[in-house]
mmCIF file with all atom_site columns, all heavy atoms in Angstrom:
data_model
loop_
_atom_site.group_PDB
_atom_site.id
_atom_site.type_symbol
_atom_site.label_atom_id
_atom_site.label_alt_id
_atom_site.label_comp_id
_atom_site.label_asym_id
_atom_site.label_entity_id
_atom_site.label_seq_id
_atom_site.pdbx_PDB_ins_code
_atom_site.Cartn_x
_atom_site.Cartn_y
_atom_site.Cartn_z
_atom_site.occupancy
_atom_site.B_iso_or_equiv
_atom_site.pdbx_formal_charge
_atom_site.auth_seq_id
_atom_site.auth_comp_id
_atom_site.auth_asym_id
_atom_site.auth_atom_id
_atom_site.pdbx_PDB_model_num
ATOM 1   N N   . TYR A 1 1  ? -1.215  -0.379  10.175  1.00 0.00 ? 1164 TYR A N   1
ATOM 2   C CA  . TYR A 1 1  ? -0.353  0.793   10.023  1.00 0.00 ? 1164 TYR A CA  1
ATOM 3   C C   . TYR A 1 1  ? -0.346  1.320   8.583   1.00 0.00 ? 1164 TYR A C   1
ATOM 4   O O   . TYR A 1 1  ? -0.643  2.483   8.336   1.00 0.00 ? 1164 TYR A O   1
ATOM 5   C CB  . TYR A 1 1  ? 1.077   0.485   10.479  1.00 0.00 ? 1164 TYR A CB  1
ATOM 6   C CG  . TYR A 1 1  ? 1.153   0.181   11.955  1.00 0.00 ? 1164 TYR A CG  1
ATOM 7   C CD1 . TYR A 1 1  ? 1.056   -1.130  12.422  1.00 0.00 ? 1164 TYR A CD1 1
ATOM 8   C CD2 . TYR A 1 1  ? 1.287   1.198   12.898  1.00 0.00 ? 1164 TYR A CD2 1
ATOM 9   C CE1 . TYR A 1 1  ? 1.093   -1.418  13.778  1.00 0.00 ? 1164 TYR A CE1 1
ATOM 10  C CE2 . TYR A 1 1  ? 1.335   0.923   14.260  1.00 0.00 ? 1164 TYR A CE2 1
ATOM 11  C CZ  . TYR A 1 1  ? 1.229   -0.380  14.694  1.00 0.00 ? 1164 TYR A CZ  1
ATOM 12  O OH  . TYR A 1 1  ? 1.248   -0.655  16.038  1.00 0.00 ? 1164 TYR A OH  1
ATOM 13  N N   . PHE A 1 2  ? 0.001   0.433   7.640   1.00 0.00 ? 1165 PHE A N   1
ATOM 14  C CA  . PHE A 1 2  ? 0.127   0.872   6.253   1.00 0.00 ? 1165 PHE A CA  1
ATOM 15  C C   . PHE A 1 2  ? -1.183  1.446   5.696   1.00 0.00 ? 1165 PHE A C   1
ATOM 16  O O   . PHE A 1 2  ? -1.199  2.538   5.108   1.00 0.00 ? 1165 PHE A O   1
ATOM 17  C CB  . PHE A 1 2  ? 0.603   -0.284  5.373   1.00 0.00 ? 1165 PHE A CB  1
ATOM 18  C CG  . PHE A 1 2  ? 0.678   0.050   3.907   1.00 0.00 ? 1165 PHE A CG  1
ATOM 19  C CD1 . PHE A 1 2  ? 1.710   0.822   3.409   1.00 0.00 ? 1165 PHE A CD1 1
ATOM 20  C CD2 . PHE A 1 2  ? -0.302  -0.402  3.020   1.00 0.00 ? 1165 PHE A CD2 1
ATOM 21  C CE1 . PHE A 1 2  ? 1.785   1.144   2.057   1.00 0.00 ? 1165 PHE A CE1 1
ATOM 22  C CE2 . PHE A 1 2  ? -0.241  -0.090  1.673   1.00 0.00 ? 1165 PHE A CE2 1
ATOM 23  C CZ  . PHE A 1 2  ? 0.800   0.690   1.193   1.00 0.00 ? 1165 PHE A CZ  1
ATOM 24  N N   . LEU A 1 3  ? -2.277  0.721   5.859   1.00 0.00 ? 1166 LEU A N   1
ATOM 25  C CA  . LEU A 1 3  ? -3.552  1.164   5.285   1.00 0.00 ? 1166 LEU A CA  1
ATOM 26  C C   . LEU A 1 3  ? -4.066  2.461   5.913   1.00 0.00 ? 1166 LEU A C   1
ATOM 27  O O   . LEU A 1 3  ? -4.867  3.170   5.301   1.00 0.00 ? 1166 LEU A O   1
ATOM 28  C CB  . LEU A 1 3  ? -4.616  0.063   5.429   1.00 0.00 ? 1166 LEU A CB  1
ATOM 29  C CG  . LEU A 1 3  ? -4.408  -1.171  4.540   1.00 0.00 ? 1166 LEU A CG  1
ATOM 30  C CD1 . LEU A 1 3  ? -5.523  -2.177  4.756   1.00 0.00 ? 1166 LEU A CD1 1
ATOM 31  C CD2 . LEU A 1 3  ? -4.325  -0.783  3.061   1.00 0.00 ? 1166 LEU A CD2 1
ATOM 32  N N   . ASN A 1 4  ? -3.596  2.784   7.111   1.00 0.00 ? 1167 ASN A N   1
ATOM 33  C CA  . ASN A 1 4  ? -3.983  4.054   7.747   1.00 0.00 ? 1167 ASN A CA  1
ATOM 34  C C   . ASN A 1 4  ? -3.325  5.255   7.074   1.00 0.00 ? 1167 ASN A C   1
ATOM 35  O O   . ASN A 1 4  ? -3.795  6.382   7.216   1.00 0.00 ? 1167 ASN A O   1
ATOM 36  C CB  . ASN A 1 4  ? -3.600  4.052   9.229   1.00 0.00 ? 1167 ASN A CB  1
ATOM 37  C CG  . ASN A 1 4  ? -4.448  3.103   10.040  1.00 0.00 ? 1167 ASN A CG  1
ATOM 38  O OD1 . ASN A 1 4  ? -5.567  2.772   9.640   1.00 0.00 ? 1167 ASN A OD1 1
ATOM 39  N ND2 . ASN A 1 4  ? -3.934  2.652   11.172  1.00 0.00 ? 1167 ASN A ND2 1
ATOM 40  N N   . GLU A 1 5  ? -2.228  4.994   6.343   1.00 0.00 ? 1168 GLU A N   1
ATOM 41  C CA  . GLU A 1 5  ? -1.478  6.090   5.726   1.00 0.00 ? 1168 GLU A CA  1
ATOM 42  C C   . GLU A 1 5  ? -1.555  6.106   4.198   1.00 0.00 ? 1168 GLU A C   1
ATOM 43  O O   . GLU A 1 5  ? -1.327  7.147   3.578   1.00 0.00 ? 1168 GLU A O   1
ATOM 44  C CB  . GLU A 1 5  ? 0.000   5.986   6.137   1.00 0.00 ? 1168 GLU A CB  1
ATOM 45  C CG  . GLU A 1 5  ? 0.230   6.084   7.635   1.00 0.00 ? 1168 GLU A CG  1
ATOM 46  C CD  . GLU A 1 5  ? 1.684   5.875   8.005   1.00 0.00 ? 1168 GLU A CD  1
ATOM 47  O OE1 . GLU A 1 5  ? 2.550   5.943   7.107   1.00 0.00 ? 1168 GLU A OE1 1
ATOM 48  O OE2 . GLU A 1 5  ? 1.957   5.632   9.193   1.00 0.00 ? 1168 GLU A OE2 1
ATOM 49  N N   . TYR A 1 6  ? -1.873  4.962   3.601   1.00 0.00 ? 1169 TYR A N   1
ATOM 50  C CA  . TYR A 1 6  ? -1.811  4.849   2.146   1.00 0.00 ? 1169 TYR A CA  1
ATOM 51  C C   . TYR A 1 6  ? -3.067  5.402   1.479   1.00 0.00 ? 1169 TYR A C   1
ATOM 52  O O   . TYR A 1 6  ? -4.184  5.146   1.923   1.00 0.00 ? 1169 TYR A O   1
ATOM 53  C CB  . TYR A 1 6  ? -1.630  3.385   1.745   1.00 0.00 ? 1169 TYR A CB  1
ATOM 54  C CG  . TYR A 1 6  ? -1.414  3.192   0.255   1.00 0.00 ? 1169 TYR A CG  1
ATOM 55  C CD1 . TYR A 1 6  ? -0.232  3.605   -0.349  1.00 0.00 ? 1169 TYR A CD1 1
ATOM 56  C CD2 . TYR A 1 6  ? -2.394  2.604   -0.541  1.00 0.00 ? 1169 TYR A CD2 1
ATOM 57  C CE1 . TYR A 1 6  ? -0.021  3.437   -1.707  1.00 0.00 ? 1169 TYR A CE1 1
ATOM 58  C CE2 . TYR A 1 6  ? -2.192  2.428   -1.895  1.00 0.00 ? 1169 TYR A CE2 1
ATOM 59  C CZ  . TYR A 1 6  ? -1.003  2.848   -2.478  1.00 0.00 ? 1169 TYR A CZ  1
ATOM 60  O OH  . TYR A 1 6  ? -0.810  2.687   -3.824  1.00 0.00 ? 1169 TYR A OH  1
ATOM 61  N N   . SER A 1 7  ? -2.853  6.171   0.411   1.00 0.00 ? 1170 SER A N   1
ATOM 62  C CA  . SER A 1 7  ? -3.963  6.713   -0.378  1.00 0.00 ? 1170 SER A CA  1
ATOM 63  C C   . SER A 1 7  ? -4.045  5.940   -1.696  1.00 0.00 ? 1170 SER A C   1
ATOM 64  O O   . SER A 1 7  ? -3.186  6.117   -2.574  1.00 0.00 ? 1170 SER A O   1
ATOM 65  C CB  . SER A 1 7  ? -3.747  8.201   -0.672  1.00 0.00 ? 1170 SER A CB  1
ATOM 66  O OG  . SER A 1 7  ? -3.692  8.934   0.521   1.00 0.00 ? 1170 SER A OG  1
ATOM 67  N N   . PRO A 1 8  ? -5.044  5.066   -1.850  1.00 0.00 ? 1171 PRO A N   1
ATOM 68  C CA  . PRO A 1 8  ? -5.171  4.268   -3.091  1.00 0.00 ? 1171 PRO A CA  1
ATOM 69  C C   . PRO A 1 8  ? -5.308  5.147   -4.327  1.00 0.00 ? 1171 PRO A C   1
ATOM 70  O O   . PRO A 1 8  ? -5.961  6.192   -4.287  1.00 0.00 ? 1171 PRO A O   1
ATOM 71  C CB  . PRO A 1 8  ? -6.443  3.451   -2.857  1.00 0.00 ? 1171 PRO A CB  1
ATOM 72  C CG  . PRO A 1 8  ? -6.638  3.455   -1.379  1.00 0.00 ? 1171 PRO A CG  1
ATOM 73  C CD  . PRO A 1 8  ? -6.114  4.772   -0.892  1.00 0.00 ? 1171 PRO A CD  1
ATOM 74  N N   . LYS A 1 9  ? -4.694  4.708   -5.416  1.00 0.00 ? 1172 LYS A N   1
ATOM 75  C CA  . LYS A 1 9  ? -4.757  5.459   -6.679  1.00 0.00 ? 1172 LYS A CA  1
ATOM 76  C C   . LYS A 1 9  ? -5.974  5.054   -7.521  1.00 0.00 ? 1172 LYS A C   1
ATOM 77  O O   . LYS A 1 9  ? -6.316  5.724   -8.480  1.00 0.00 ? 1172 LYS A O   1
ATOM 78  C CB  . LYS A 1 9  ? -3.465  5.244   -7.469  1.00 0.00 ? 1172 LYS A CB  1
ATOM 79  C CG  . LYS A 1 9  ? -2.226  5.761   -6.734  1.00 0.00 ? 1172 LYS A CG  1
ATOM 80  C CD  . LYS A 1 9  ? -0.966  5.400   -7.482  1.00 0.00 ? 1172 LYS A CD  1
ATOM 81  C CE  . LYS A 1 9  ? 0.271   5.926   -6.754  1.00 0.00 ? 1172 LYS A CE  1
ATOM 82  N NZ  . LYS A 1 9  ? 0.438   5.319   -5.424  1.00 0.00 ? 1172 LYS A NZ  1
ATOM 83  N N   . SER A 1 10 ? -6.590  3.946   -7.152  1.00 0.00 ? 1173 SER A N   1
ATOM 84  C CA  . SER A 1 10 ? -7.806  3.486   -7.827  1.00 0.00 ? 1173 SER A CA  1
ATOM 85  C C   . SER A 1 10 ? -8.534  2.539   -6.883  1.00 0.00 ? 1173 SER A C   1
ATOM 86  O O   . SER A 1 10 ? -8.015  2.181   -5.818  1.00 0.00 ? 1173 SER A O   1
ATOM 87  C CB  . SER A 1 10 ? -7.461  2.763   -9.137  1.00 0.00 ? 1173 SER A CB  1
ATOM 88  O OG  . SER A 1 10 ? -6.801  1.546   -8.856  1.00 0.00 ? 1173 SER A OG  1
ATOM 89  N N   . ARG A 1 11 ? -9.725  2.093   -7.276  1.00 0.00 ? 1174 ARG A N   1
ATOM 90  C CA  . ARG A 1 11 ? -10.486 1.178   -6.436  1.00 0.00 ? 1174 ARG A CA  1
ATOM 91  C C   . ARG A 1 11 ? -9.801  -0.166  -6.254  1.00 0.00 ? 1174 ARG A C   1
ATOM 92  O O   . ARG A 1 11 ? -9.935  -0.825  -5.218  1.00 0.00 ? 1174 ARG A O   1
ATOM 93  C CB  . ARG A 1 11 ? -11.874 0.943   -7.056  1.00 0.00 ? 1174 ARG A CB  1
ATOM 94  C CG  . ARG A 1 11 ? -12.824 2.122   -6.902  1.00 0.00 ? 1174 ARG A CG  1
ATOM 95  C CD  . ARG A 1 11 ? -14.196 1.768   -7.425  1.00 0.00 ? 1174 ARG A CD  1
ATOM 96  N NE  . ARG A 1 11 ? -15.125 2.878   -7.277  1.00 0.00 ? 1174 ARG A NE  1
ATOM 97  C CZ  . ARG A 1 11 ? -16.396 2.824   -7.636  1.00 0.00 ? 1174 ARG A CZ  1
ATOM 98  N NH1 . ARG A 1 11 ? -16.883 1.718   -8.171  1.00 0.00 ? 1174 ARG A NH1 1
ATOM 99  N NH2 . ARG A 1 11 ? -17.181 3.876   -7.473  1.00 0.00 ? 1174 ARG A NH2 1
ATOM 100 N N   . LYS A 1 12 ? -9.058  -0.576  -7.272  1.00 0.00 ? 1175 LYS A N   1
ATOM 101 C CA  . LYS A 1 12 ? -8.379  -1.868  -7.225  1.00 0.00 ? 1175 LYS A CA  1
ATOM 102 C C   . LYS A 1 12 ? -6.973  -1.791  -6.616  1.00 0.00 ? 1175 LYS A C   1
ATOM 103 O O   . LYS A 1 12 ? -6.301  -2.812  -6.459  1.00 0.00 ? 1175 LYS A O   1
ATOM 104 C CB  . LYS A 1 12 ? -8.288  -2.459  -8.637  1.00 0.00 ? 1175 LYS A CB  1
ATOM 105 C CG  . LYS A 1 12 ? -9.647  -2.835  -9.227  1.00 0.00 ? 1175 LYS A CG  1
ATOM 106 C CD  . LYS A 1 12 ? -9.478  -3.474  -10.596 1.00 0.00 ? 1175 LYS A CD  1
ATOM 107 C CE  . LYS A 1 12 ? -10.821 -3.880  -11.168 1.00 0.00 ? 1175 LYS A CE  1
ATOM 108 N NZ  . LYS A 1 12 ? -10.680 -4.512  -12.511 1.00 0.00 ? 1175 LYS A NZ  1
ATOM 109 N N   . ASP A 1 13 ? -6.530  -0.593  -6.308  1.00 0.00 ? 1176 ASP A N   1
ATOM 110 C CA  . ASP A 1 13 ? -5.171  -0.406  -5.779  1.00 0.00 ? 1176 ASP A CA  1
ATOM 111 C C   . ASP A 1 13 ? -5.126  -0.796  -4.306  1.00 0.00 ? 1176 ASP A C   1
ATOM 112 O O   . ASP A 1 13 ? -5.665  -0.093  -3.450  1.00 0.00 ? 1176 ASP A O   1
ATOM 113 C CB  . ASP A 1 13 ? -4.745  1.059   -5.963  1.00 0.00 ? 1176 ASP A CB  1
ATOM 114 C CG  . ASP A 1 13 ? -3.344  1.320   -5.426  1.00 0.00 ? 1176 ASP A CG  1
ATOM 115 O OD1 . ASP A 1 13 ? -2.586  0.349   -5.246  1.00 0.00 ? 1176 ASP A OD1 1
ATOM 116 O OD2 . ASP A 1 13 ? -3.023  2.497   -5.190  1.00 0.00 ? 1176 ASP A OD2 1
ATOM 117 N N   . ASN A 1 14 ? -4.454  -1.917  -3.995  1.00 0.00 ? 1177 ASN A N   1
ATOM 118 C CA  . ASN A 1 14 ? -4.333  -2.358  -2.602  1.00 0.00 ? 1177 ASN A CA  1
ATOM 119 C C   . ASN A 1 14 ? -3.021  -1.919  -1.955  1.00 0.00 ? 1177 ASN A C   1
ATOM 120 O O   . ASN A 1 14 ? -2.764  -2.210  -0.781  1.00 0.00 ? 1177 ASN A O   1
ATOM 121 C CB  . ASN A 1 14 ? -4.472  -3.883  -2.509  1.00 0.00 ? 1177 ASN A CB  1
ATOM 122 C CG  . ASN A 1 14 ? -3.559  -4.614  -3.487  1.00 0.00 ? 1177 ASN A CG  1
ATOM 123 O OD1 . ASN A 1 14 ? -2.503  -4.095  -3.861  1.00 0.00 ? 1177 ASN A OD1 1
ATOM 124 N ND2 . ASN A 1 14 ? -3.956  -5.803  -3.912  1.00 0.00 ? 1177 ASN A ND2 1
ATOM 125 N N   . GLY A 1 15 ? -2.157  -1.241  -2.731  1.00 0.00 ? 1178 GLY A N   1
ATOM 126 C CA  . GLY A 1 15 ? -0.913  -0.726  -2.169  1.00 0.00 ? 1178 GLY A CA  1
ATOM 127 C C   . GLY A 1 15 ? 0.191   -1.745  -2.009  1.00 0.00 ? 1178 GLY A C   1
ATOM 128 O O   . GLY A 1 15 ? 1.228   -1.451  -1.399  1.00 0.00 ? 1178 GLY A O   1
ATOM 129 N N   . TYR A 1 16 ? 0.008   -2.952  -2.559  1.00 0.00 ? 1179 TYR A N   1
ATOM 130 C CA  . TYR A 1 16 ? 1.001   -4.008  -2.351  1.00 0.00 ? 1179 TYR A CA  1
ATOM 131 C C   . TYR A 1 16 ? 2.393   -3.612  -2.840  1.00 0.00 ? 1179 TYR A C   1
ATOM 132 O O   . TYR A 1 16 ? 3.401   -3.954  -2.213  1.00 0.00 ? 1179 TYR A O   1
ATOM 133 C CB  . TYR A 1 16 ? 0.567   -5.289  -3.072  1.00 0.00 ? 1179 TYR A CB  1
ATOM 134 C CG  . TYR A 1 16 ? -0.503  -6.091  -2.364  1.00 0.00 ? 1179 TYR A CG  1
ATOM 135 C CD1 . TYR A 1 16 ? -1.130  -5.612  -1.206  1.00 0.00 ? 1179 TYR A CD1 1
ATOM 136 C CD2 . TYR A 1 16 ? -0.909  -7.325  -2.851  1.00 0.00 ? 1179 TYR A CD2 1
ATOM 137 C CE1 . TYR A 1 16 ? -2.112  -6.337  -0.572  1.00 0.00 ? 1179 TYR A CE1 1
ATOM 138 C CE2 . TYR A 1 16 ? -1.897  -8.067  -2.218  1.00 0.00 ? 1179 TYR A CE2 1
ATOM 139 C CZ  . TYR A 1 16 ? -2.502  -7.569  -1.082  1.00 0.00 ? 1179 TYR A CZ  1
ATOM 140 O OH  . TYR A 1 16 ? -3.471  -8.301  -0.457  1.00 0.00 ? 1179 TYR A OH  1
ATOM 141 N N   . THR A 1 17 ? 2.470   -2.901  -3.961  1.00 0.00 ? 1180 THR A N   1
ATOM 142 C CA  . THR A 1 17 ? 3.784   -2.519  -4.511  1.00 0.00 ? 1180 THR A CA  1
ATOM 143 C C   . THR A 1 17 ? 4.544   -1.614  -3.546  1.00 0.00 ? 1180 THR A C   1
ATOM 144 O O   . THR A 1 17 ? 5.721   -1.849  -3.239  1.00 0.00 ? 1180 THR A O   1
ATOM 145 C CB  . THR A 1 17 ? 3.618   -1.797  -5.868  1.00 0.00 ? 1180 THR A CB  1
ATOM 146 O OG1 . THR A 1 17 ? 2.932   -2.659  -6.777  1.00 0.00 ? 1180 THR A OG1 1
ATOM 147 C CG2 . THR A 1 17 ? 4.967   -1.412  -6.445  1.00 0.00 ? 1180 THR A CG2 1
ATOM 148 N N   . GLU A 1 18 ? 3.874   -0.579  -3.052  1.00 0.00 ? 1181 GLU A N   1
ATOM 149 C CA  . GLU A 1 18 ? 4.499   0.350   -2.107  1.00 0.00 ? 1181 GLU A CA  1
ATOM 150 C C   . GLU A 1 18 ? 4.822   -0.343  -0.787  1.00 0.00 ? 1181 GLU A C   1
ATOM 151 O O   . GLU A 1 18 ? 5.887   -0.142  -0.205  1.00 0.00 ? 1181 GLU A O   1
ATOM 152 C CB  . GLU A 1 18 ? 3.534   1.521   -1.858  1.00 0.00 ? 1181 GLU A CB  1
ATOM 153 C CG  . GLU A 1 18 ? 4.057   2.599   -0.919  1.00 0.00 ? 1181 GLU A CG  1
ATOM 154 C CD  . GLU A 1 18 ? 5.176   3.427   -1.513  1.00 0.00 ? 1181 GLU A CD  1
ATOM 155 O OE1 . GLU A 1 18 ? 5.395   3.352   -2.745  1.00 0.00 ? 1181 GLU A OE1 1
ATOM 156 O OE2 . GLU A 1 18 ? 5.841   4.134   -0.744  1.00 0.00 ? 1181 GLU A OE2 1
ATOM 157 N N   . PHE A 1 19 ? 3.899   -1.165  -0.330  1.00 0.00 ? 1182 PHE A N   1
ATOM 158 C CA  . PHE A 1 19 ? 4.089   -1.891  0.929   1.00 0.00 ? 1182 PHE A CA  1
ATOM 159 C C   . PHE A 1 19 ? 5.289   -2.830  0.830   1.00 0.00 ? 1182 PHE A C   1
ATOM 160 O O   . PHE A 1 19 ? 6.163   -2.843  1.707   1.00 0.00 ? 1182 PHE A O   1
ATOM 161 C CB  . PHE A 1 19 ? 2.821   -2.683  1.255   1.00 0.00 ? 1182 PHE A CB  1
ATOM 162 C CG  . PHE A 1 19 ? 2.875   -3.432  2.559   1.00 0.00 ? 1182 PHE A CG  1
ATOM 163 C CD1 . PHE A 1 19 ? 2.900   -2.750  3.761   1.00 0.00 ? 1182 PHE A CD1 1
ATOM 164 C CD2 . PHE A 1 19 ? 2.880   -4.823  2.576   1.00 0.00 ? 1182 PHE A CD2 1
ATOM 165 C CE1 . PHE A 1 19 ? 2.937   -3.438  4.974   1.00 0.00 ? 1182 PHE A CE1 1
ATOM 166 C CE2 . PHE A 1 19 ? 2.915   -5.518  3.772   1.00 0.00 ? 1182 PHE A CE2 1
ATOM 167 C CZ  . PHE A 1 19 ? 2.939   -4.827  4.969   1.00 0.00 ? 1182 PHE A CZ  1
ATOM 168 N N   . ALA A 1 20 ? 5.366   -3.603  -0.261  1.00 0.00 ? 1183 ALA A N   1
ATOM 169 C CA  . ALA A 1 20 ? 6.468   -4.548  -0.452  1.00 0.00 ? 1183 ALA A CA  1
ATOM 170 C C   . ALA A 1 20 ? 7.813   -3.833  -0.510  1.00 0.00 ? 1183 ALA A C   1
ATOM 171 O O   . ALA A 1 20 ? 8.804   -4.300  0.063   1.00 0.00 ? 1183 ALA A O   1
ATOM 172 C CB  . ALA A 1 20 ? 6.243   -5.347  -1.738  1.00 0.00 ? 1183 ALA A CB  1
ATOM 173 N N   . ARG A 1 21 ? 7.862   -2.696  -1.190  1.00 0.00 ? 1184 ARG A N   1
ATOM 174 C CA  . ARG A 1 21 ? 9.113   -1.937  -1.313  1.00 0.00 ? 1184 ARG A CA  1
ATOM 175 C C   . ARG A 1 21 ? 9.640   -1.514  0.054   1.00 0.00 ? 1184 ARG A C   1
ATOM 176 O O   . ARG A 1 21 ? 10.834  -1.634  0.339   1.00 0.00 ? 1184 ARG A O   1
ATOM 177 C CB  . ARG A 1 21 ? 8.882   -0.699  -2.183  1.00 0.00 ? 1184 ARG A CB  1
ATOM 178 C CG  . ARG A 1 21 ? 10.138  0.119   -2.470  1.00 0.00 ? 1184 ARG A CG  1
ATOM 179 C CD  . ARG A 1 21 ? 9.845   1.290   -3.380  1.00 0.00 ? 1184 ARG A CD  1
ATOM 180 N NE  . ARG A 1 21 ? 8.950   2.243   -2.760  1.00 0.00 ? 1184 ARG A NE  1
ATOM 181 C CZ  . ARG A 1 21 ? 9.355   3.161   -1.858  1.00 0.00 ? 1184 ARG A CZ  1
ATOM 182 N NH1 . ARG A 1 21 ? 10.625  3.223   -1.492  1.00 0.00 ? 1184 ARG A NH1 1
ATOM 183 N NH2 . ARG A 1 21 ? 8.491   4.016   -1.350  1.00 0.00 ? 1184 ARG A NH2 1
ATOM 184 N N   . ASN A 1 22 ? 8.771   -1.035  0.913   1.00 0.00 ? 1185 ASN A N   1
ATOM 185 C CA  . ASN A 1 22 ? 9.191   -0.578  2.241   1.00 0.00 ? 1185 ASN A CA  1
ATOM 186 C C   . ASN A 1 22 ? 9.513   -1.732  3.193   1.00 0.00 ? 1185 ASN A C   1
ATOM 187 O O   . ASN A 1 22 ? 10.296  -1.562  4.127   1.00 0.00 ? 1185 ASN A O   1
ATOM 188 C CB  . ASN A 1 22 ? 8.108   0.303   2.865   1.00 0.00 ? 1185 ASN A CB  1
ATOM 189 C CG  . ASN A 1 22 ? 8.110   1.715   2.321   1.00 0.00 ? 1185 ASN A CG  1
ATOM 190 O OD1 . ASN A 1 22 ? 8.985   2.514   2.620   1.00 0.00 ? 1185 ASN A OD1 1
ATOM 191 N ND2 . ASN A 1 22 ? 7.132   2.022   1.474   1.00 0.00 ? 1185 ASN A ND2 1
ATOM 192 N N   . MET A 1 23 ? 8.906   -2.883  2.946   1.00 0.00 ? 1186 MET A N   1
ATOM 193 C CA  . MET A 1 23 ? 9.110   -4.034  3.826   1.00 0.00 ? 1186 MET A CA  1
ATOM 194 C C   . MET A 1 23 ? 10.305  -4.884  3.410   1.00 0.00 ? 1186 MET A C   1
ATOM 195 O O   . MET A 1 23 ? 10.711  -5.799  4.121   1.00 0.00 ? 1186 MET A O   1
ATOM 196 C CB  . MET A 1 23 ? 7.850   -4.896  3.846   1.00 0.00 ? 1186 MET A CB  1
ATOM 197 C CG  . MET A 1 23 ? 6.615   -4.197  4.403   1.00 0.00 ? 1186 MET A CG  1
ATOM 198 S SD  . MET A 1 23 ? 6.693   -3.902  6.183   1.00 0.00 ? 1186 MET A SD  1
ATOM 199 C CE  . MET A 1 23 ? 6.240   -5.520  6.786   1.00 0.00 ? 1186 MET A CE  1
ATOM 200 N N   . GLY A 1 24 ? 10.856  -4.602  2.216   1.00 0.00 ? 1187 GLY A N   1
ATOM 201 C CA  . GLY A 1 24 ? 12.010  -5.367  1.754   1.00 0.00 ? 1187 GLY A CA  1
ATOM 202 C C   . GLY A 1 24 ? 11.653  -6.755  1.261   1.00 0.00 ? 1187 GLY A C   1
ATOM 203 O O   . GLY A 1 24 ? 12.460  -7.687  1.338   1.00 0.00 ? 1187 GLY A O   1
ATOM 204 N N   . LEU A 1 25 ? 10.423  -6.910  0.720   1.00 0.00 ? 1188 LEU A N   1
ATOM 205 C CA  . LEU A 1 25 ? 9.963   -8.200  0.219   1.00 0.00 ? 1188 LEU A CA  1
ATOM 206 C C   . LEU A 1 25 ? 9.410   -8.056  -1.190  1.00 0.00 ? 1188 LEU A C   1
ATOM 207 O O   . LEU A 1 25 ? 9.122   -6.947  -1.637  1.00 0.00 ? 1188 LEU A O   1
ATOM 208 C CB  . LEU A 1 25 ? 8.871   -8.769  1.137   1.00 0.00 ? 1188 LEU A CB  1
ATOM 209 C CG  . LEU A 1 25 ? 9.300   -9.180  2.550   1.00 0.00 ? 1188 LEU A CG  1
ATOM 210 C CD1 . LEU A 1 25 ? 8.079   -9.456  3.401   1.00 0.00 ? 1188 LEU A CD1 1
ATOM 211 C CD2 . LEU A 1 25 ? 10.205  -10.398 2.511   1.00 0.00 ? 1188 LEU A CD2 1
#
């Protein structure tokens, strides 16, 4: 779900910060 919507800001950007914020972890 998340990776289908997330637009990485760089090649190394895996989106963990945004994902963690929305998941409450």
Side-chain angles (χ1 to χ4, degrees):
Y1164 295 92
F1165 176 76
L1166 289 181
N1167 290 337
E1168 299 176 15
Y1169 186 70
S1170 299
K1172 298 174 180 63
S1173 68
R1174 286 185 179 181
K1175 293 183 179 180
D1176 180 19
N1177 51 27
Y1179 282 6
T1180 302
E1181 182 70 13
F1182 182 68
R1184 184 178 64 80
N1185 281 287
M1186 297 290 280
L1188 293 169

